[in-house]
């Protein structure tokens, strides 16, 4: 039975531990930003502890100052001792698939476990594979699959970023045996097992505090048109279409400036991941566009990110057509909406559907350089107020307070999933049946071999041979 709803007084709030697998601090990427804002919201309803991978000694103090009411602690990935005390005190633990694999001790705790599956990790990993040395990557894939299966069995509640992702998760959990009579009887909608907690928007509008791009970056004047590529240049994204569109437009529109301000990820564990940096930089150099029409930065401090957004005139989100596309929820797109920047995006993912729903920009086809170029010109010709009403509506519907509500409700009333509460043995019934059949067949063959070894079969065949000889006579 689920616990009764707690009072929101400080003395009776449920205790929640949120474990970030990404760095939080002065520079943050999508996962870190997600956990920063979820911490803001959850701290209003629960006694929250945020466990982080600090970038430096000052990071913890800075986060505590920016997150009043949140207890911020540092931990080390894979080191159970660094999390044990906080985990053992928690009623609810929110974690990523990475953490489930690295901290198997979590599954044995009485706390309810929430798995944040907003990032389709395996599909993203597949996009990074080189064509060579596939046997080695098959071995890595096998290890990743084992880790994924462990996470399917370990959590009481799964959250994801979109209804598309929710269907994906339901399919995976069905195969893993988590959609069963117990979990279905607990909640026939299965919202209690998997629900959507999308990437959201801050409730307050961004404020411009200082110039950081226009009139500051060499080669970019205050009156130029800044086209923003936020975030990294990951293998599933398509920055080459963007630079080719700028190459097409720049001779007649020299005021266009495409910026890539985030080419070096703040998390050292991610920096080894393959990216498009080299190919895009080479193209810009070969075509004489480097530091004239195309500009590169390392990674913008999070405090300056609103300034970058507000100094941008157009934002881009372009990607390839892969299995990652329909599952993706582009976090940077939400930040463009937050800042009111018109967007040009490739079709196919959930966030491009937001553009269509709220009419926030232009949606183009895959690798369509001409359409991207024409969309840039169209937005430049449109009045600056063209999208403001629509952006305002989107900001109200997509803020973090709204998107986090399924998670807030669970943390206020944590409960074990019915099949975990009943201590049903883990495993998939179908595969368990096949395993039992295989074990039975193995036992039969072992008995047969033992019979051979005991000589019964040999003596039988000798007798058959003697009978044949007698019949021949």
């Amino acid at each position: 039975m689920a616990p009764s709803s707690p009072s929101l007084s400080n003395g009776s709030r449920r205790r929640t531990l949120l474990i970030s697998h990404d760095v939080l601090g002065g520079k943050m990427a999508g996962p870190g930003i997600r956990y920063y804002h979820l911490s803001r919201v959850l701290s209003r309803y629960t006694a929250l502890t945020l466990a982080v991978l600090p970038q430096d000694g000052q990071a913890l103090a800075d986060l505590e100052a920016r997150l009043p009411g949140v207890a911020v602690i540092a931990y080390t990935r894979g080191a159970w001792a660094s999390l044990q005390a906080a985990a053992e005190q928690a009623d609810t633990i929110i974690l990523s698939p990475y953490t489930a694999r690295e901290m198997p001790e979590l599954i044995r705790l009485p706390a309810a476990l929430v798995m944040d599956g907003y990032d389709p990790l395996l599909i993203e990993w597949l996009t990074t594979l080189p064509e060579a040395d596939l046997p080695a990557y098959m071995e890595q894939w096998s290890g990743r699959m084992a880790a994924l299966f462990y996470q399917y069995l370990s959590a009481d509640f799964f959250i994801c970023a979109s209804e598309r992702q929710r269907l994906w998760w339901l399919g995976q959990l069905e195969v893993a045996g988590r959609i069963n009579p117990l979990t279905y009887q607990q909640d026939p909608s299965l919202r209690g097992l998997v629900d959507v907690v999308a990437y959201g928007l801050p409730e307050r509008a961004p404020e411009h505090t200082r110039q950081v791009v226009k009139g500051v970056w060499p080669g970019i004047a205050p009156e130029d048109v800044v086209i923003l590529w936020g975030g990294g240049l990951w293998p599933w994204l398509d920055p080459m279409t963007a630079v080719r569109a700028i190459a097409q437009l720049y001779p007649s529109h020299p005021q266009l400036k495409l910026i890539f301000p985030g080419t070096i990820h703040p998390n050292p564990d991610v920096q080894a991941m393959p990216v498009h940096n080299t190919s895009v930089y080479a193209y810009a150099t070969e075509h004489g566009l480097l530091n004239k029409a195309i500009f590169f930065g390392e990674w913008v401090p999070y405090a300056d990110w609103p300034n970058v957004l507000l100094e941008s005139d157009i934002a881009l989100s372009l990607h390839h057509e892969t299995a990652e596309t329909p599952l993706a929820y582009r976090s940077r797109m939400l930040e463009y909406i937050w800042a009111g920047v018109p967007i040009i995006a490739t079709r196919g993912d959930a966030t491009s559907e937001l553009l269509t729903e709220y009419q926030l920009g232009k949606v183009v086809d895959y690798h369509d350089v001409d359409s991207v170029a024409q969309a840039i010109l169209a937005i430049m010709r449109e009045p600056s107020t063209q999208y403001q009403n629509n952006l305002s509506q989107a900001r109200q519907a997509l803020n973090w307070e709204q998107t986090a509500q399924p998670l807030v409700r669970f943390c206020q009333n944590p409960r074990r999933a019915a099949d975990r509460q009943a201590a049903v043995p883990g495993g998939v019934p179908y595969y368990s049946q096949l395993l039992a059949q295989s074990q039975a067949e193995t036992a039969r063959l072992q008995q047969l071999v033992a019979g051979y070894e005991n000589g019964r079969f040999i003596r039988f065949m000798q007798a058959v041979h003697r009978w044949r000889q007698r019949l021949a006579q």
Side-chain angles (χ1 to χ4, degrees):
M1 180 180 296
S4 60
S5 178
S7 165
L8 294 186
S9 65
N10 289 337
S12 61
R13 285 188 175 190
R14 295 287 184 173
R15 294 165 298 185
T16 301
L17 171 64
L18 194 164
I19 307 170
S20 174
H21 66 280
D22 201 6
V23 295
L24 276 83
K27 296 181 179 180
M28 297 187 287
I33 295 170
R34 176 176 173 84
Y35 296 138
Y36 171 79
H37 287 292
L38 285 178
S39 295
R40 285 194 310 102
V41 175
L42 288 172
S43 65
R44 301 167 189 165
Y45 302 92
T46 72
L48 182 71
T49 298
L50 172 63
V52 303
L53 303 169
Q55 291 175 335
D56 51 52
Q58 188 62 31
L60 290 183
D62 290 346
L63 282 170
E64 286 183 331
R66 290 158 57 185
L67 294 170
V70 178
V72 184
I73 63 172
Y75 82 100
T76 303
R77 291 181 65 165
W80 172 237
S82 65
L83 268 182
Q84 183 175 359
E88 289 178 345
Q89 294 174 8
D91 300 304
T92 304
I93 300 174
I94 306 165
L95 67 159
S96 75
Y98 289 115
T99 310
R101 177 178 59 190
E102 296 166 355
M103 302 277 193
E105 296 87 352
L106 290 167
I107 196 173
R108 293 189 286 271
L109 297 177
L113 299 185
V114 179
M115 188 70 63
D116 185 9
Y118 97 103
D119 201 354
L121 298 174
L122 182 65
I123 293 296
E124 284 187 355
W125 176 76
L126 290 172
T127 68
T128 70
L129 300 184
E131 295 181 4
D133 202 20
L134 281 181
Y137 280 95
M138 285 299 295
E139 187 174 339
Q140 290 186 33
W141 169 83
S142 180
R144 286 175 176 267
M145 286 301 298
L148 283 174
F149 191 77
Y150 183 83
Q151 83 178 38
Y152 300 150
L153 300 180
S154 65
D156 301 288
F157 184 45
F158 296 82
I159 58 175
C160 56
S162 67
E163 289 296 335
R164 290 184 184 186
Q165 283 190 5
R166 182 172 183 267
L167 294 176
W168 169 263
W169 269 101
L170 287 172
Q172 294 179 94
L173 294 176
E174 181 180 42
V175 172
R178 294 301 308 277
I179 298 179
N180 53 56
L182 290 171
T183 52
Y184 184 83
Q185 188 178 55
Q186 188 178 36
D187 176 12
S189 74
L190 296 176
R191 289 279 173 189
L193 184 63
V194 188
D195 209 346
V196 176
V197 177
Y199 199 97
L201 309 176
E203 294 81 13
R204 295 177 57 184
E207 296 180 3
H208 191 270
T209 59
R210 68 187 188 102
Q211 287 296 120
V212 296
V213 177
K214 289 187 174 182
V216 176
W217 282 29
I220 301 181
E223 65 275 10
D224 284 338
V225 176
V226 171
I227 302 173
L228 173 64
W229 181 284
L233 284 76
W234 309 117
W236 52 88
L237 300 179
D238 180 26
M240 288 304 299
T241 292
V243 298
R244 289 182 175 121
I246 294 300
Q248 183 182 117
L249 293 173
Y250 183 69
S252 57
H253 297 82
Q255 76 274 33
L256 295 178
K257 311 295 180 180
L258 172 61
I259 64 171
F260 295 93
T263 60
I264 301 178
H265 199 282
N267 188 342
D269 292 338
V270 180
Q271 288 177 8
M273 191 171 173
V275 290
H276 291 297
N277 295 16
T278 301
S279 58
V280 173
Y281 192 92
Y283 184 95
T285 302
E286 292 168 4
H287 290 77
L289 301 172
L290 184 63
N291 296 329
K292 295 179 180 178
I294 300 173
F295 301 79
F296 297 88
E298 293 186 354
W299 201 273
V300 177
Y302 191 62
D304 272 336
W305 184 235
N307 296 322
V308 174
L309 291 168
L310 292 171
E311 291 176 39
S312 299
D313 301 284
I314 300 170
L316 301 180
S317 179
L318 308 177
H319 52 257
H320 303 295
E321 184 177 17
T322 68
E324 184 267 352
T325 300
L327 299 174
Y329 202 84
R330 315 285 181 203
S331 57
R332 294 300 182 187
M333 290 261 284
L334 274 295
E335 293 175 334
Y336 303 155
I337 295 171
W338 176 52
V341 185
I343 305 165
I344 301 171
T346 313
R347 67 176 177 87
D349 62 9
T351 35
S352 67
E353 291 184 347
L354 289 178
L355 260 66
T356 302
E357 178 182 354
Y358 290 100
Q359 299 182 5
L360 304 176
K362 313 291 184 184
V363 177
V364 298
D365 207 350
Y366 300 102
H367 308 144
D368 193 338
V369 175
D370 291 340
S371 290
V372 172
Q374 292 304 311
I376 291 171
L377 295 179
I379 292 175
M380 288 171 59
R381 288 193 294 265
E382 292 166 349
S384 59
T385 58
Q386 174 82 15
Y387 300 99
Q388 293 312 306
N389 290 337
N390 297 337
L391 286 163
S392 177
Q393 293 176 14
R395 282 194 290 260
Q396 293 177 12
L398 299 172
N399 67 67
W400 282 109
E401 179 72 29
Q402 296 297 322
T403 60
Q405 282 307 303
L407 181 59
V408 168
R409 289 192 292 269
F410 186 89
C411 292
Q412 287 183 288
N413 292 277
R415 49 105 186 100
R416 302 296 290 272
D419 51 351
R420 291 232 302 144
Q421 186 175 348
V424 175
V428 183
Y430 173 72
Y431 296 124
S432 299
Q433 182 179 2
L434 287 184
L435 179 61
Q437 293 173 352
S438 175
Q439 290 172 337
E441 178 66 10
T442 299
R444 186 187 71 79
L445 292 174
Q446 287 174 339
Q447 290 177 351
L448 184 60
V449 170
Y452 292 162
E453 292 174 347
N454 290 334
R456 290 194 298 267
F457 179 75
I458 299 299
R459 290 195 295 273
F460 172 74
M461 293 303 297
Q462 288 174 342
V464 170
H465 180 66
R466 288 195 296 271
W467 293 335
R468 285 179 175 175
Q469 285 181 328
R470 291 173 184 172
L471 290 173
Q473 295 174 355

